[in-house]
Amino acid sequence: MEKTDIHINREDYLDLYADQKLGIVDFTLDDADLETRCPLDNGLQDSPQPQQSAGQLDMLPLEIITSILLTLDLPTLTTFRLTNRRAMALVSSIYQYGMVLKHCPDILRAIISINANSFDCMTLYQVLSNRKCETCHRFGSYLYLVTCKRV
């Protein structure tokens, strides 16, 4: 059997393989259309003042209500937010939630979409406020949503 030596020019090799998609799925949010699949509030944030109460929660001071809400995982906090306009106003008054909603709405949508319930709003805010990777302490450009760790 004869052995043939096929020599491919380097530029031809790059042209041949550069246009092929490798099919690597990295599970980042770049290609996800989260805004249409997981809307936040559906435009209700501009609604008039709430007329309902938050039930027995309204008997507590706002500082205690805020502390309680900050300990809820984000899917639960979002579900509570959908209860009525008073609950929406209470959650909207939380500084940490407001900052996450303002600067990282797609992260919030992704957390709700995958029902990541192992961390609370305060933890997410603290992790997003820190720039370092949890492991190597260099810049962590990604957020692992399952554990809420920068990587």
Side-chain angles (χ1 to χ4, degrees):
M1 192 177 241
E2 233 177 83
K3 196 175 184 184
T4 56
D5 185 21
I6 300 175
H7 179 70
I8 299 177
N9 188 353
R10 189 176 293 198
E11 288 84 21
D12 293 336
Y13 181 78
L14 289 175
D15 287 340
L16 178 66
Y17 290 104
D19 292 332
Q20 292 181 355
K21 293 213 177 220
L22 297 175
I24 297 172
V25 180
D26 61 1
F27 298 107
T28 61
L29 296 177
D30 297 341
D31 299 329
D33 191 16
L34 291 171
E35 190 170 356
T36 55
R37 287 191 282 153
C38 185
L40 299 173
D41 297 334
N42 297 322
L44 295 176
Q45 64 271 17
D46 298 326
S47 61
Q49 288 294 326
Q51 296 177 355
Q52 302 93 359
S53 74
Q56 293 182 346
L57 272 180
D58 276 336
M59 291 190 273
L60 297 172
L62 186 58
E63 295 82 13
I64 294 176
I65 295 172
T66 301
S67 296
I68 292 169
L69 294 177
L70 279 172
T71 62
L72 295 176
D73 60 83
L74 288 159
T76 304
L77 186 64
T78 305
T79 302
F80 173 73
R81 183 179 168 81
L82 297 174
T83 307
N84 60 28
R85 288 189 176 127
R86 174 66 179 144
M88 186 179 288
L90 285 171
V91 174
S92 293
S93 70
I94 300 171
Y95 175 79
Q96 293 84 348
Y97 181 85
M99 290 292 101
V100 172
L101 183 62
K102 178 180 178 182
H103 297 288
C104 311
D106 281 344
I107 290 177
L108 190 56
R109 287 182 179 104
I111 289 168
I112 294 164
S113 295
I114 66 171
N115 198 24
N117 56 7
S118 61
F119 53 91
D120 56 31
C121 186
M122 179 60 104
T123 302
L124 177 64
Y125 176 77
Q126 289 171 343
V127 168
L128 290 173
S129 298
N130 187 359
R131 295 177 164 215
K132 294 183 179 181
C133 171
E134 186 83 13
T135 308
C136 68
H137 303 291
R138 293 183 182 172
F139 178 69
S141 56
Y142 291 98
L143 177 68
Y144 186 53
L145 294 179
V146 176
T147 60
C148 194
K149 305 276 187 208
R150 273 201 182 267
V151 289

